[in-house]
């Protein structure tokens, strides 16, 4: 499997991975036992759907009654996928139908097994209308926010075209419906974020910022750890944003570390996401 997502709940470690066409979870009381734990398939879409292939970056998150009300409370699986055409890559959400992180998972409104709900925003229909991936959840002062990566193609200049990724943040109404306007909080601005990118040729490789994950300090600090540079290179590494303003939905509220906080060494390569 790929794109591992690890969390701890009720005395167990859970490791969620994708095999491109299905999502599995491994469960063990001891961390070291995850390597021999049996695989539990929690999402296997039918073939021929817009969400049947290229299942990327699965994450499982819990929403309480205080978060979203009794009707919508529970475990949710976030996944980005397509029909085999990368241009159709979109973000989806499924809800555990058993009340357990082990699933099975299905549509959060009608309960249909192995059928996800596409992420929408009535206030901003352009959200999730083009290529995007890697949705996660960020929490701050009683509110939940969706954090994900989009891609931008700039108009060619002198035959060269810039392709780059952008991290967006938007408040959640329910675990699968967003509200308000999305806000860009991170884009490639530093040299270390741009390794592997190209601006001309038959295939344009992007400047990469992706895989954002919220990290919470013991005194209320809020950080986002994200990946920078091409994941196809040995320069794939981790950067950091720190919330320094009052409003997370503001680009200026986030302070970016000028150097990566975790990068390759003589022993380790490609240490991103």
């Amino acid at each position: 499997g790929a794109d591992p997502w690890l969390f701890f709940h009720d005395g167990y470690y859970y490791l969620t991975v994708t095999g491109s066409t299905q999502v599995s979870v491994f469960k063990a009381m001891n961390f070291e036992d995850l390597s021999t734990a049996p695989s539990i398939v929690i999402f296997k879409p039918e073939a021929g759907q817009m969400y049947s292939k290229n299942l990327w970056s699965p994450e499982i998150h819990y929403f309480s009654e205080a978060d979203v009300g009794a009707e919508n409370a529970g475990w949710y699986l976030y996944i980005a996928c397509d029909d085999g055409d990368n241009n159709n890559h979109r973000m989806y959400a499924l809800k555990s139908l058993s009340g357990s992180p082990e699933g099975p998972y299905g549509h959060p409104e009608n309960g249909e097994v192995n059928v996800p709900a596409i992420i929408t925003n009535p206030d901003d229909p352009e959200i999730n209308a083009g290529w995007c991936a890697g949705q996660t959840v960020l929490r701050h002062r009683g509110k939940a926010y969706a954090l994900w990566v989009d891609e931008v193609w700039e108009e060619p200049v002198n035959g060269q075209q810039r392709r780059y990724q952008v991290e967006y943040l938007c408040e959640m109404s329910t675990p699968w419906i967003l509200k308000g306007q999305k806000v860009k909080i991170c884009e490639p601005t530093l040299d270390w974020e741009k390794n592997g990118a190209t601006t001309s040729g038959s295939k344009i490789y992007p400047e990469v910022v992706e895989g954002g994950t919220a990290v919470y300090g013991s005194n209320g600090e809020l950080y986002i750890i994200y990946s920078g540079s091409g994941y196809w290179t040995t320069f794939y590494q981790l950067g950091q944003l720190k919330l320094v303003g009052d409003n997370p939905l503001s680009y200026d509220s986030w302070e970016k570390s000028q150097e990566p906080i975790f990068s390759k060494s003589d022993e380790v390569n490609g240490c991103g996401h």
Side-chain angles (χ1 to χ4, degrees):
D3 292 339
W5 174 255
L6 178 70
F7 64 99
F8 185 80
H9 169 66
D10 200 21
Y12 287 91
Y13 291 94
Y14 291 85
L15 181 66
T16 308
V17 299
T18 175
S20 183
T21 57
Q22 66 182 36
V23 177
S24 302
V25 68
F26 300 84
K27 173 185 176 183
M29 294 189 69
N30 299 306
F31 178 79
E32 59 270 20
D33 293 334
L34 285 171
S35 61
T36 56
S39 170
I40 304 169
V41 177
I42 60 172
F43 174 44
K44 187 174 179 61
E46 289 186 2
Q49 305 298 321
M50 294 299 293
Y51 46 81
S52 297
K53 298 182 178 180
N54 297 323
L55 278 63
W56 292 358
S57 304
E59 294 194 9
I60 294 177
H61 292 269
Y62 182 78
F63 291 83
S64 68
E65 290 188 22
D67 291 330
V68 293
E71 182 180 357
N72 295 326
W75 293 95
Y76 285 81
L77 169 65
Y78 290 103
I79 188 76
C81 34
D82 57 48
D83 58 352
D85 182 350
N86 187 53
N87 294 314
N88 296 327
H89 211 64
R90 303 290 187 271
M91 301 182 297
Y92 295 87
L94 300 98
K95 183 181 181 181
S96 172
L97 306 178
S98 67
S100 162
E102 298 172 46
Y105 283 79
H107 199 282
E109 293 177 338
N110 60 33
E112 192 171 355
V113 179
N114 285 326
V115 176
I118 192 165
I119 301 296
T120 60
N121 184 337
D123 299 325
D124 188 350
E126 291 187 1
I127 287 180
N128 209 23
W131 185 97
C132 51
Q135 181 180 343
T136 188
V137 179
L138 179 148
R139 299 174 187 273
H140 182 64
R141 294 181 178 174
K143 294 182 179 180
Y145 301 85
L147 174 66
W148 75 95
V149 60
D150 250 293
E151 196 163 74
V152 177
W153 289 78
E154 289 187 349
E155 291 297 320
V157 177
N158 297 325
Q160 294 187 332
Q161 186 169 33
R162 184 184 178 211
R163 177 186 178 193
Y164 62 98
Q165 294 181 344
V166 174
E167 294 267 11
Y168 281 117
L169 195 67
C170 189
E171 190 175 349
M172 290 178 146
S173 178
T174 73
W176 67 98
I177 301 174
L178 312 184
K179 64 181 179 180
Q181 300 300 306
K182 66 182 180 183
V183 174
K184 176 179 65 178
I185 63 168
C186 185
E187 62 182 325
T189 57
L190 304 172
D191 289 343
W192 75 260
E193 298 169 320
K194 302 178 182 181
N195 289 295
T198 59
T199 57
S200 62
S202 58
K203 186 173 183 179
I204 308 298
Y205 289 89
E207 300 169 13
V208 172
V209 292
E210 65 176 12
T213 300
V215 177
Y216 307 93
S218 58
N219 295 314
E221 305 94 337
L222 176 57
Y223 302 88
I224 292 174
I225 307 302
Y226 68 96
S227 299
S229 282
Y231 53 83
W232 56 93
T233 75
T234 63
F235 296 100
Y236 198 42
Q237 51 205 307
L238 295 177
Q240 176 184 283
L241 302 175
K242 180 180 180 180
L243 184 67
V244 294
D246 294 328
N247 180 15
L249 291 173
S250 170
Y251 186 88
D252 293 334
S253 288
W254 295 93
E255 178 182 79
K256 179 188 287 189
S257 295
Q258 296 300 293
E259 299 293 335
I261 64 168
F262 195 54
S263 56
K264 72 174 184 176
S265 67
D266 292 339
E267 292 80 28
V268 179
N269 277 329
C271 46
H273 198 182

